[in-house]
Amino acid sequence: KSPPTSFPLTFCQEMSSRKSFGSVGPGSPMAEHRSLTASQKREAARVERICNALAEREGVPPWTKSLLVQLGPLLTTLLAFIDASTPVVMSAIAAAVAIWNTLPKQAITALYGLVLCFFGGHYTVTLAAVEAFRVSGGERVTQCIRDIWTDITNVRIANAADNKKDDDHDGKLDVDQLSSDKALLSRKIGLVLRTVDPDRVIQALGGLAQAFAGVLATLKVQFARTVALAVSISDNLRKPAGVLLTPVLAALIPPEYHHWVSPIISIACKVVGMWVAWLLARIIATCHASMIGGLMAARAAMGLANQMGWVKVTVEDSMLDEAAGWTLCVIGAYFQLSSGFSLPFPLNVVLLPVSMVEWFLTWAVTWFD
């Protein structure tokens, strides 16, 4: 009997079946990306025109204008990558969730134990955030994400339809006949405002902000000692760092930018304080998570083996689970400590998004008020 379909599975299946941004005609989004169509080339040119229009607005600083002009090609490449990869990623997640939903409870517990054992120190804050998120009501947040994604998808569909319009029937697309880049920008802003449901977006963003604030507050309490140590190191390091680094930076930086010397030193002290405090915290978390995760995985695996009839040895009657659990504990702790909390290839590439989340949460817990 197949398990009931979960929200993540239906959501990912729905997203993976959606048409990609600006895709036209038959064929998969990935295939369309490999051979850039004329429609996609025109869309890339429109993105660059919109960036140019933003750069030409009054009151925009010169450095911002240059950045916006250079941002056009980069944004075009990024949109093409998202366009091609989103259905593939969503399909992979849907398949993983489907497999996950078919696993026995003991197998899920064993896998979670292995994650704690081998990655508990790498992703201390992320794992704590996931637990806080689960306890504080994750279903509401997933619904907020789904609402935002719905509006994003509606805008993409409306934009694709708008790009095909030829209201005057002269054989030329209306968006390509606009007299200026500003007219194109106004047209696309109007399209977004007409398509998006403002009440739904505001409620969804508010829900996400509330959830983030709640998780952040929980993490701040959980890692209060680490945060206090980071702040103490940063504050006490500021004076000697100022004495040593101010002359060096003043000599390297042009005089008109000398007002940046003090903020640079302050940020550097915060980075050092955060690094030292969280390194110590991760060492402690690694030992604790490896022990808890190793024993959890071993006992769950033994329970699964008994449930499947592979062995007839229970946790109460044997020390096998203790031996296997402590062995996993030593291996997991050594794996994390010996690598200096840096993942080997290809794990560092596969888990790069999780690593970015870990870095952001660590910074947010330490310095966000």
Side-chain angles (χ1 to χ4, degrees):
K1 182 179 178 180
S2 60
T5 304
S6 64
F7 164 73
L9 177 58
T10 55
F11 177 67
C12 293
Q13 287 174 338
E14 178 185 352
M15 293 307 106
S16 63
S17 63
R18 296 276 177 89
K19 277 287 186 181
S20 59
F21 179 78
S23 56
V24 179
S28 66
M30 186 65 77
E32 290 175 1
H33 177 57
R34 290 197 193 101
S35 56
L36 204 62
T37 64
S39 174
Q40 289 171 326
K41 290 179 181 179
R42 288 194 298 269
E43 182 64 20
R46 294 182 197 115
V47 171
E48 293 189 25
R49 289 180 61 191
I50 290 174
C51 290
N52 292 335
L54 290 172
E56 294 171 0
R57 293 178 64 87
E58 295 182 4
V60 177
W63 66 270
T64 307
K65 291 184 178 181
S66 176
L67 179 62
L68 286 170
V69 171
Q70 297 174 6
L71 186 64
L74 177 62
L75 188 59
T76 300
T77 304
L78 180 62
L79 288 175
F81 174 76
I82 295 174
D83 179 51
S85 61
T86 297
V88 178
V89 172
M90 289 297 181
S91 297
I93 294 176
V97 171
I99 295 173
W100 178 270
N101 289 336
T102 61
L103 292 176
K105 183 179 179 180
Q106 295 280 19
I108 294 175
T109 303
L111 288 174
Y112 182 66
L114 289 176
V115 169
L116 281 179
C117 184
F118 287 91
F119 300 100
H122 285 96
Y123 302 115
T124 305
V125 187
T126 303
L127 290 172
V130 169
E131 183 62 21
F133 168 79
R134 185 186 66 82
V135 172
S136 60
E139 285 299 323
R140 180 167 179 252
V141 175
T142 51
Q143 184 58 46
C144 291
I145 295 174
R146 187 171 190 173
D147 289 343
I148 292 174
W149 186 266
T150 298
D151 277 299
I152 292 174
T153 304
N154 291 340
V155 169
R156 293 165 69 179
I157 295 172
N159 181 69
D162 182 64
N163 291 339
K164 299 176 185 177
K165 283 186 177 179
D166 180 18
D167 293 339
D168 53 6
H169 305 290
D170 61 351
K172 297 179 181 180
L173 299 177
D174 294 343
V175 289
D176 294 334
Q177 294 182 336
L178 296 174
S179 57
S180 65
D181 295 344
K182 290 184 178 180
L184 177 61
L185 176 63
S186 299
R187 181 185 179 108
K188 293 304 180 181
I189 290 177
L191 181 143
V192 172
L193 294 177
R194 289 192 303 272
T195 306
V196 168
D197 184 341
D199 292 333
R200 180 168 58 194
V201 171
I202 291 173
Q203 289 181 3
L205 292 177
L208 291 179
Q210 274 187 330
F212 177 73
V215 170
L216 193 60
T218 303
L219 295 178
K220 277 184 172 292
V221 173
Q222 186 171 345
F223 296 102
R225 291 182 179 180
T226 304
V227 172
L229 179 60
V231 173
S232 178
I233 293 173
S234 173
D235 291 343
N236 288 284
L237 193 61
R238 180 64 180 83
K239 185 175 180 180
V243 173
L244 294 174
L245 296 179
T246 298
V248 177
L249 293 175
L252 295 175
I253 297 176
E256 60 267 27
Y257 301 116
H258 277 183
H259 59 284
W260 283 97
V261 171
S262 181
I264 290 173
I265 295 175
S266 297
I267 293 174
C269 292
K270 287 184 177 182
V271 171
V272 172
M274 186 178 73
W275 180 80
V276 173
W278 283 102
L279 176 62
L280 297 175
R282 289 185 196 286
I283 293 174
I284 297 173
T286 295
C287 299
H288 184 252
S290 296
M291 177 183 66
I292 297 298
L295 291 171
M296 181 188 299
R299 288 166 182 167
M302 182 173 289
L304 179 63
N306 274 281
Q307 183 179 337
M308 302 299 292
W310 298 336
V311 297
K312 297 188 180 298
V313 180
T314 62
V315 173
E316 293 78 11
D317 301 334
S318 171
M319 293 291 291
L320 183 60
D321 62 307
E322 301 287 339
W326 283 104
T327 301
L328 285 174
C329 170
V330 173
I331 295 173
Y334 177 78
F335 167 73
Q336 296 179 80
L337 295 175
S338 63
S339 64
F341 302 107
S342 60
L343 295 172
F345 181 82
L347 287 177
N348 57 349
V349 177
V350 175
L351 296 176
L352 179 61
V354 186
S355 299
M356 295 175 67
V357 170
E358 176 73 13
W359 180 88
F360 171 75
L361 287 176
T362 300
W363 184 272
V365 170
T366 308
W367 301 116
F368 282 14
D369 292 329

